[in-house]
Amino acid sequence: MTGQSGLQKEVLALYRRALRMVRTKPLHSQAKFSLFVRYMFHTQASAVPPRNISAIEHLLRRGRRQIELYESSSIKDCHISQAMKDWEQSQSRRYNQY
């Protein structure tokens, strides 16, 4: 088995950073931030082919800027769309089947 590429490591590091950011938010909004992070990473990952390096690098830059914004202590909550809620339900049904 081969190791991860540098780009894969960057994506995972950004995901870990986003999950750490969630833990800095008030308890009542952590679930919404967590859903937001998982949904955004999932939808972005499925929208870009793994060989499209320039698109992945662009998403990494955009994701870093967005996480920097959300890391601010003045950001206490986030909006969850109906699409995000629907995606979460479909994920939980999928995992409950096993």
Side-chain angles (χ1 to χ4, degrees), residues 2-3 9 23 57 89:
T2 62
K9 289 178 183 177
R23 293 193 310 256
E57 289 173 341
Q89 283 185 340

Side-chain angles (χ1 to χ4, degrees), residues 70-83:
Y70 282 114
E71 284 174 335
S72 168
S73 60
S74 62
I75 306 292
K76 307 267 189 232
D77 207 351
C78 68
H79 172 74
I80 300 301
S81 69
Q82 187 61 46

Side-chain angles (χ1 to χ4, degrees), residues 46-61:
S46 62
V48 177
R51 300 234 182 264
N52 191 342
I53 305 301
S54 60
I56 295 169
E57 289 173 341
H58 169 73
L59 289 173
L60 279 168
R61 286 190 302 275

